[in-house]
Amino acid sequence: MKLKNILFSLSFILIVLIANAQDFSSKNQLLKFKQFSLTEGLSQSSVLCILQDSKGFLWFGTRDGLNKYDGHTFTSYRYNYKDKNSISNSYIKCLLEDKNGSIWVGTNNGLNKYITQTDNFIRYKGSNIDGSLINNEIWSLAATKTAYIWIGTNEGLEKFNINTGKSKHIVDKTQISTKNQIRSLFVTSNNNLWICNRENITIYNDQKKQPLCCLFEVEKVGYMKAELEFRY
């Protein structure tokens, strides 16, 4: 069974649990939804990520632009080759607010930090300079309680210092290229970083400096088995 099948199964189980937990009695009020589309000012109708920041703004990342919603109107941000302070790419894949309240935007071509005072962006992209990103295709971002954020790229994991703007590549010692194609990240309460790539799910603990070797493989019965084999 492939990873996408696992995620589908987990999603289905979650939906069932939520549904069973709901009280569908007549006393409950009907849920009401408000739709936002191009008519209301959204830059593009395919929304890939959503974030509500600490100030209450809603951020929507689409395939053609980043959108900030203040409760009344949308402000859209797109790449502009004439403006070095514009966002580095209009294809938005992930959003994150760090411990300082700064908004970080992962795109198809680079990482961006939103600057509130000037309403524009600082770009961080891969180059030959030491401390730059190893890859510009950013798929996922995860916050920590320290001065770092985790970046999942199409060529591996990055530990990014939000104060210095320097990035450190975390080497996967298994040396399997497809496992470096990270798609999702999540930090648990005990500071373990869960990493979902195109083949499996791995766990990394940066404090203990444990390498990427805790694999979750799919068994025929349809559940995940943890094989905890940390190598030092």
Side-chain angles (χ1 to χ4, degrees), residues 22 24 26 33-34 43 94 101 111-112 184-185 196:
Q22 297 296 319
F24 292 102
S26 58
F33 295 88
K34 184 176 181 179
S43 66
C94 50
L111 177 71
N112 300 260
S184 184
L185 299 172
C196 176

Side-chain angles (χ1 to χ4, degrees), residues 15 57 66 82 86 97 129 159 162 167 171 211 224 232:
I15 292 171
F57 291 105
L66 174 66
K82 295 181 179 180
S86 70
E97 182 177 19
I129 301 175
K159 184 180 180 181
I162 59 177
S167 187
V171 178
M224 293 183 295
Y232 294 89

